[in-house]
Amino acid sequence: HNTSVMRVLAKAGAVSHKVVTPMKTTTASPMDVLDKFNKKHIRNAVPAKALAHGDEKKVKKASFLQRQEPSGANADAMRTVIAKIDEFSKMIKKDQRLESQMRDTCMDQKQKAERDLEFKKNELNLNGIRTSKVKQDIQAIDSSVQDVKDAMKDIEDELTTMSTDREDEHEMFKKEVKEQREMIAALESAEQSLKAFYKKKQSFVQEEPAPPAAAPGSLPEERKSFSANKKHGSGQGVIAILEHLQSNSNAVLASLMDAEQQALDAYTANVQSADNAIALKNKQLIDLNKNKGKAEAKKLDLETRKTTLEDEKKKIEDFIALIDEKCSVVLDNFTKNQDARKSELAELRKAKEVLAGMSTAS
């Protein structure tokens, strides 16, 4: 039985020594501790290394010598070995728990970091969509601003054309008015001259002495004078024509004045309408520039947010890389280590059972 216990402990120690683990909870394997303990407390103890190396000669010799000892000589020592096995078992179980906790912590931290990373990626994607939308809004505003400016230029060009046309019309008006006034003045002058002439002529006829008696067979002098005066009666018709021409010129002048006033009123109304349109366009420009300012500020906020999100994303990626670096040993060897520790515990339980039986038999 002692040989079997030694072989079990040696095997358990060898397995424990070969286990790859990032945690160092003991400084010696069960095999090393048991060898040291056996040399101190058990006479003719089978060397654990001999069991591990399969040195059957040494094992048989030690087992023969132990059978020669009194039956209860090593009972207390066996109980001490059992206590040591219990201590080893607790240490291995503690290693199991710590490794499981570390594995769970690594996995939890990595899963949380991966969720955070995915969230940051979604935030970056949404931020990019919002930035594109804002840029489109700014482009639309710029296009609208250009449209308003083009419309204002068209209105200003139309105002310039209207002003030029109005100046031309006014110059034509002044010219025609001048011509009509000159004509009216000429007609009035001619009328006055004719009136003065005929008035003077009439006075001259009235002051002429009485004619002598007419010769037999000739016309009386009154008849001659009457016949002569008939020729001068047409002067009244000329004066009437001059007055008629004056009346026509005055009517033309009045018509020119009315047309000028109507043209001036229309021009004033058009200018006022154009000024109102320009004022409205200026208000639209102010509103558009205000909206553009808000959009530019939003774009700046989104770009700043993008930088922040990219920094946060980089930190999460670095953290995941750190988890992979620090936890890779635990995660890669977890199953292997747990299986090895289960084997150790199983072997230690068997050893404990054997030793407990030997101690009871003693």
Side-chain angles (χ1 to χ4, degrees):
H1 291 293
N2 192 21
T3 302
S4 299
V5 171
M6 292 299 106
R7 193 181 300 278
V8 168
L9 291 177
K11 183 177 181 181
V15 172
S16 177
H17 183 68
K18 293 178 182 179
V19 170
V20 179
T21 174
M23 297 174 291
K24 187 175 182 180
T25 57
T26 60
T27 57
S29 68
M31 179 182 66
D32 295 331
V33 175
L34 189 58
D35 271 341
K36 184 177 181 180
F37 180 83
N38 286 343
K39 289 179 180 179
K40 183 176 181 180
H41 298 285
I42 302 176
R43 295 181 61 186
N44 300 317
V46 178
K49 290 183 179 180
L51 291 172
H53 295 151
D55 192 339
E56 295 295 334
K57 185 176 180 180
K58 290 184 178 180
V59 170
K60 290 180 179 180
K61 180 179 179 181
S63 298
F64 174 77
L65 292 174
Q66 284 186 16
R67 286 195 296 270
Q68 306 304 315
E69 297 293 331
S71 59
N74 293 325
D76 292 339
M78 290 297 180
R79 283 191 290 272
T80 303
V81 171
I82 291 173
K84 185 62 66 174
I85 290 175
D86 290 338
E87 181 182 345
F88 290 155
S89 297
K90 290 180 180 179
M91 291 170 59
I92 292 172
K93 290 177 181 179
K94 182 179 179 181
D95 284 348
Q96 281 182 315
R97 289 194 302 272
L98 289 176
E99 193 171 37
S100 295
Q101 291 173 0
M102 182 175 290
R103 189 275 310 267
D104 293 342
T105 300
C106 287
M107 293 180 65
D108 290 344
Q109 289 297 317
K110 184 171 182 178
Q111 289 173 358
K112 182 179 181 301
E114 287 175 343
R115 288 195 299 270
D116 291 342
L117 180 61
E118 189 64 26
F119 181 74
K120 293 301 175 186
K121 288 180 178 178
N122 291 335
E123 275 195 294
L124 273 170
N125 184 51
L126 182 59
N127 188 81
I129 294 173
R130 290 173 176 170
T131 302
S132 298
K133 178 65 170 58
V134 170
K135 287 180 178 180
Q136 291 175 358
D137 292 343
I138 292 173
Q139 290 177 351
I141 291 172
D142 288 339
S143 178
S144 297
V145 167
Q146 189 59 48
D147 290 343
V148 172
K149 288 182 177 180
D150 291 342
M152 290 179 68
K153 186 177 183 304
D154 291 341
I155 295 172
E156 291 170 351
D157 291 343
E158 186 178 353
L159 270 176
T160 302
T161 301
M162 285 193 303
S163 177
T164 302
D165 293 344
R166 178 85 279 272
E167 290 176 0
D168 293 341
E169 290 173 356
H170 187 63
E171 289 299 321
M172 182 64 70
F173 163 76
K174 290 193 297 182
K175 179 181 178 182
E176 292 178 350
V177 167
K178 180 181 178 183
E179 291 174 352
Q180 291 300 321
R181 284 176 175 172
E182 288 176 350
M183 181 180 291
I184 291 170
L187 291 171
E188 287 178 348
S189 177
E191 182 186 359
Q192 293 301 323
S193 297
L194 282 174
K195 284 182 178 180
F197 172 76
Y198 287 118
K199 183 178 181 181
K200 183 178 179 181
K201 190 71 175 175
Q202 185 178 7
S203 297
F204 174 76
V205 171
Q206 289 176 355
E207 293 175 358
E208 188 176 350
S218 62
L219 290 172
E221 291 296 327
E222 299 85 18
R223 297 286 298 276
K224 293 180 179 178
S225 297
F226 178 77
S227 299
N229 285 336
K230 272 293 192 180
K231 296 178 181 179
H232 297 292
S234 62
Q236 296 299 325
V238 173
I239 291 173
I241 291 173
L242 291 175
E243 289 177 347
H244 179 70
L245 291 174
Q246 288 182 55
S247 177
N248 287 342
S249 294
N250 284 323
V252 171
L253 183 61
S255 177
L256 289 173
M257 291 293 186
D258 290 341
E260 174 64 12
Q261 187 60 49
Q262 291 176 6
L264 182 60
D265 291 343
Y267 172 73
T268 302
N270 288 334
V271 170
Q272 184 62 48
S273 177
D275 289 342
N276 292 339
I278 290 176
L280 179 61
K281 296 299 180 184
N282 279 324
K283 184 177 182 302
Q284 289 177 351
L285 280 180
I286 292 172
D287 292 340
L288 286 170
N289 287 326
K290 186 183 296 184
N291 291 336
K292 182 178 180 180
K294 292 179 181 179
E296 291 284 0
K298 187 175 181 180
K299 176 173 169 285
L300 180 61
D301 290 342
L302 288 170
E303 289 174 345
T304 302
R305 178 59 178 162
K306 177 185 177 183
T307 301
T308 302
L309 289 173
E310 286 177 342
D311 290 342
E312 293 175 352
K313 175 175 170 286
K314 179 66 167 55
K315 289 179 181 178
I316 294 173
E317 289 173 341
D318 292 343
F319 181 63
I320 290 175
L322 181 63
I323 291 175
D324 289 339
E325 178 185 351
K326 298 298 182 181
C327 295
S328 60
V329 175
V330 174
L331 297 176
D332 293 344
N333 296 281
F334 179 78
T335 301
K336 178 181 178 181
N337 287 353
Q338 291 294 310
D339 291 342
R341 286 185 170 85
K342 287 179 181 178
S343 298
E344 285 184 340
L345 289 173
E347 297 295 339
L348 287 174
R349 280 195 299 272
K350 291 179 181 178
K352 181 179 178 180
E353 292 170 359
V354 172
L355 292 173
M358 292 175 63
S359 176
T360 302
S362 300

